[in-house]
Amino acid sequence: MVIELKAGEFKPEYVGKLNFYLSAVDDQLRAEGDHPTIGLILCKDKDKLDVEYALRDINKPMGVSSFITKDIPLSVQSQLPTVQEIESELTALIHNDENKSNE
């Protein structure tokens, strides 16, 4: 998965750049039998029509979402993983993939 984090509003040209990254990752990193790489653009804000037109003829799995810019309520925060938990999970996934590659 390729995630692009943009601090501002969505721009249609972001889709072309993400398409480039997905092509590179699929060519250089994807193993036989892997599904196509998924792309996600996270931006501060987005216009639904701009996103629709930008993604209309793209054949790769790609999406655009805005991220939360306000404080997250404590009741929701307690249900979310911590940064350390996410990092640990990603590290474990990477090590599992490396072990599979070495078999």
Side-chain angles (χ1 to χ4, degrees):
M1 179 168 213
V2 174
I3 300 173
E4 274 221 66
L5 180 61
K6 300 294 186 179
E9 187 172 325
F10 171 78
K11 294 178 184 176
E13 56 263 29
Y14 294 163
V15 172
K17 191 176 214 181
L18 184 59
N19 186 50
F20 169 81
Y21 294 147
L22 292 176
S23 294
V25 168
D26 282 345
D27 188 55
Q28 300 292 319
L29 301 175
R30 188 172 67 153
E32 188 175 325
D34 285 349
H35 292 287
T37 306
I38 297 170
L40 177 61
I41 300 169
L42 290 174
C43 45
K44 187 173 182 180
D45 198 14
K46 65 184 180 357
D47 178 274
K48 186 176 178 180
L49 194 57
D50 287 347
V51 172
E52 181 181 334
Y53 287 152
L55 292 176
R56 182 168 285 173
D57 294 320
I58 298 292
N59 295 319
K60 292 186 174 122
M62 207 182 291
V64 177
S65 182
S66 55
F67 55 83
I68 299 170
T69 57
K70 297 178 182 156
D71 290 333
I72 300 172
L74 289 176
S75 61
V76 175
Q77 284 183 23
S78 65
Q79 297 176 23
L80 297 173
T82 65
V83 171
Q84 293 79 14
E85 290 170 332
I86 293 170
E87 288 175 345
S88 294
E89 185 71 24
L90 288 172
T91 300
L93 287 171
I94 290 168
H95 288 305
N96 285 339
D97 285 346
E98 288 174 352
N99 289 338
K100 289 180 184 177
S101 297
N102 292 331
E103 292 178 357

